[in-house]
Amino acid sequence: MVHALAHALGGGRSVVGGVEQEAEVVYNPHPMINPDVPAMAGPTAPTSEPGTRFSAEFSYQDKRLGDTDPVVVATAPDVFRPTSTTVLLLRAARKALNEQRPRSVLDLGCGTGIVAIVLAKVLPDAVVCASDLSAAAVALAQHNGERNGVAVQCRSGSLFDPWRGQRFDLIVDDVSGVTEPLDRLSGWYPPAVPGAAGPDGTRWVLEILDQAPDFLTPGGQLVFPVLTLSREQLVAERARSRFAAVEQVEEQWYPLNEQLLECLPLLEQLTAAGRVRIEKRGSRWCWATKVYVARRH
């Protein structure tokens, strides 16, 4: 996905108040994301389409929002796979549709294209666009849109570069960040996916927050994630300085995976420096994904 996509992720369970809870979303997390948290469904079979490089599938279905049928997309080893951050972003974006029915949507950092595809299905009359720094991701998103029978305009480029001169009613930012060096130590990145979100994990999200108002229509909304494995307070402050209103709408806590637990002394140092925040919930150390909706002036 665009730049550093450290989409953090637990599997089909969350930890709230120290108690493990089943999520109400059916999806298959990538095994390298958080191998110590079980998925709700078994692995999906590789695609059988001849001549493709796609290796497996991802199935999205949010039961909390009343979904009865899943949306299935192909994945690829060199494209960041959707995670629970993606699921939370979609939940927030779909809830925001109750206030405003956008006629134009941008999935920024689209990866497989799942966000754009789901929103295109929910908003059949909207113009839905998607972009990613990775040309492989853009090709995969285009493929997935076609296999799901929806029209998605896909472009390759860094952040908002492919959309100069355009404005959208709704932008969903699927570009999150994890402080370096935790990004590589976590095991969350496929080798082809770049990191470089900076020593506090905020590099890309701050850039998006600074630029997004210029790409939103008046009253338009930006849905974006913040991980507590970055300097979350800095992101929240920047968002409030750039938008008329900012509201946190989703929050989910996850236990540290095995790779991060091995780095606990480093995490403690980063916590003391204010670069990350982890909490002891029950017997486990945990981190969180938060999702915000920001409204343009």
Side-chain angles (χ1 to χ4, degrees), residues 1 10 24 26 66 120 138 140 143 151 205-206 216 242 258 261 271:
M1 296 189 177
E24 295 186 45
V26 178
V138 170
L140 180 58
H143 166 83
V205 66
L206 292 180
L216 284 168
R242 297 289 289 147
E258 291 179 0
L261 282 172
T271 299

Side-chain angles (χ1 to χ4, degrees), residues 1-2 5 7 73 79-80 82 85-86 89-90 93 104-120 123 127-133 137-138 140-142 144-145 150-160 162-163 168-176 208 215-216 221-225:
M1 296 189 177
V2 176
L5 298 187
H7 298 303
V73 294
V79 175
F80 208 99
T85 294
T86 309
L89 282 168
L90 268 169
S104 54
V105 176
L106 173 60
D107 175 6
L108 188 65
C110 63
T112 64
I114 184 64
V115 170
I117 290 165
V118 170
L119 293 178
L123 299 165
V127 175
V128 178
C129 302
S131 61
D132 200 293
L133 179 65
V138 170
L140 180 58
Q142 188 75 57
N144 282 324
V150 296
V152 178
Q153 298 180 22
C154 298
R155 297 181 185 178
S156 176
S158 177
L159 300 182
F160 290 105
W163 310 107
F168 302 89
D169 296 327
L170 174 65
I171 298 174
V172 181
D173 161 29
D174 206 358
V175 182
S176 54
I208 289 168
F215 292 88
L216 284 168
Q221 299 181 94
L222 170 70
V223 181
F224 67 96

Side-chain angles (χ1 to χ4, degrees), residues 38-94:
M40 291 183 65
T44 53
T47 60
S48 57
E49 300 171 38
T52 67
R53 59 182 175 78
F54 311 133
S55 59
E57 293 179 333
F58 174 91
S59 180
Y60 166 85
Q61 181 181 354
D62 195 333
K63 293 184 176 180
R64 288 191 190 179
L65 299 182
D67 292 348
T68 57
D69 298 308
V71 176
V72 180
V73 294
T75 66
D78 54 349
V79 175
F80 208 99
R81 187 179 176 92
T83 68
S84 68
T85 294
T86 309
V87 172
L88 289 177
L89 282 168
L90 268 169
R91 182 176 293 163
R94 292 173 65 185

Side-chain angles (χ1 to χ4, degrees), residues 32-33 178 181-189 257 259-260 263:
M32 74 180 289
I33 298 286
V178 173
L182 289 184
D183 50 2
R184 293 303 176 187
L185 295 174
S186 67
W188 290 336
Y189 286 80
N257 64 12
Q259 293 96 320
L260 289 177
C263 304

